[in-house]
Amino acid sequence: MIYTQKIESQCPVAQGVHHGAAPIPEEGQWIQAKEIKDIKGYTHGIGWCAPQQGCCKLSLNVKDGVIQEALVETIGCSGMTHSAAMAAEILPGLTILEALNTDLVCDAINTAMRELFLQIVYGRTQSAFSDDGLSIGAGFEDLGKGDRSMVGTMYGTLKKGPRYLEMTEGYVTKIALDENNEIIGYKYINFGKMMDFVKGGMEPKEAMEKASGQYGRVDDAARLIDPRKE
């Protein structure tokens, strides 16, 4: 270490008030994080690209400073999905510091990594007060039955009103309207369940019917419309 002559000539004064890093909550413990290996927790967050044309929801499960599990969900430009595929290969096995300084190509994924890094090192994780944290695989379970991202896609115009296209339950096939043409429910197909049925040997038509459902007062509807055509 090189010091200037002025510093070398000064007398030492003790730093009596320094008591170390403030402890942060990590998986049911209070930890004074001093090194990367002291960091652990499960959390998720959102990142966005520079033109703000797309976003990424990133979920990470970190144990002893190393990413054990990564769930990368994107919406926006088509290139984001390819970047997400690469990120899912790269992130597991990296320390969170390595991941922060790794180019994940897509700005939205990089931004999500930055935001999650801040959450994790400040102890703001989803598992901060959970003993031993969450098991590896928790991110996959977040997807729910059918193992597909939960996506909401809605569209509307002033002249023609709203159209429900995709809800948490799945792809919307019909919107139920009352006598005032107000939406009172919808019918849907859960594609994740449908594909599981097809992979299990069920005929596509039967699988589609079995994976279909409805929400709201569909049975009371004055009429049903196809939100993509009518």
Side-chain angles (χ1 to χ4, degrees):
M1 195 74 68
I2 300 175
Y3 295 93
T4 65
Q5 185 176 358
K6 184 174 182 178
I7 297 299
E8 288 284 11
S9 66
Q10 293 176 341
C11 64
V13 177
Q15 295 174 274
V17 297
H18 183 62
H19 303 297
I24 60 175
E26 293 185 23
E27 300 190 345
Q29 299 176 335
W30 289 95
I31 304 293
Q32 275 190 308
K34 299 178 181 179
E35 300 178 26
I36 291 297
K37 65 181 179 63
D38 295 330
I39 301 297
K40 53 189 174 182
Y42 176 87
T43 195
H44 44 241
I46 301 295
W48 54 95
C49 65
Q52 298 184 353
Q53 294 173 345
C55 66
C56 165
K57 179 187 174 187
L58 180 62
S59 304
L60 298 178
N61 204 343
V62 180
K63 303 291 185 183
D64 300 323
V66 178
I67 296 171
Q68 301 292 332
E69 173 186 19
L71 171 63
V72 191
E73 302 172 87
T74 60
I75 183 170
C77 71
S78 57
M80 295 177 71
T81 58
H82 298 273
S83 297
M86 185 191 72
E89 291 191 45
I90 290 175
L91 288 172
L94 298 184
T95 68
I96 57 171
L97 185 58
E98 288 176 310
L100 181 67
N101 289 286
T102 297
D103 184 9
L104 302 172
V105 180
C106 173
D107 282 350
I109 304 175
N110 284 326
T111 303
M113 185 61 234
R114 180 194 72 196
E115 297 301 310
L116 261 65
F117 179 90
L118 294 174
Q119 285 185 35
I120 294 168
V121 298
Y122 284 133
R124 275 28 174 211
T125 65
Q126 306 298 311
S127 59
F129 299 102
S130 301
D131 288 341
D132 298 323
L134 298 180
S135 302
I136 311 303
F140 208 59
E141 291 179 357
D142 271 355
L143 295 173
K145 294 180 180 179
D147 300 324
R148 297 184 81 238
S149 297
M150 289 180 281
V151 178
T153 307
M154 313 299 159
Y155 179 74
T157 59
L158 179 61
K159 184 175 183 179
K160 297 296 184 178
R163 297 293 188 277
Y164 296 175
L165 303 174
E166 185 102 11
M167 300 291 278
T168 298
E169 297 91 343
Y171 177 94
V172 177
T173 57
K174 295 288 183 180
I175 296 177
L177 305 179
D178 63 12
E179 57 276 3
N180 298 318
N181 286 331
E182 294 180 357
I183 298 174
I184 59 173
Y186 52 86
K187 290 189 172 186
Y188 62 86
I189 300 173
N190 187 310
F191 278 159
K193 291 182 179 180
M194 175 182 164
M195 293 309 300
D196 284 344
F197 294 146
V198 171
K199 287 187 292 184
M202 190 178 293
E203 288 298 318
K205 185 176 180 181
E206 183 184 356
M208 185 173 72
E209 292 175 354
K210 190 172 180 179
S212 296
Q214 63 185 49
Y215 181 83
R217 296 188 293 117
V218 175
D219 295 335
D220 298 333
R223 61 176 176 143
L224 300 173
I225 66 169
D226 184 334
R228 292 167 176 80
K229 295 182 179 180
E230 298 176 72

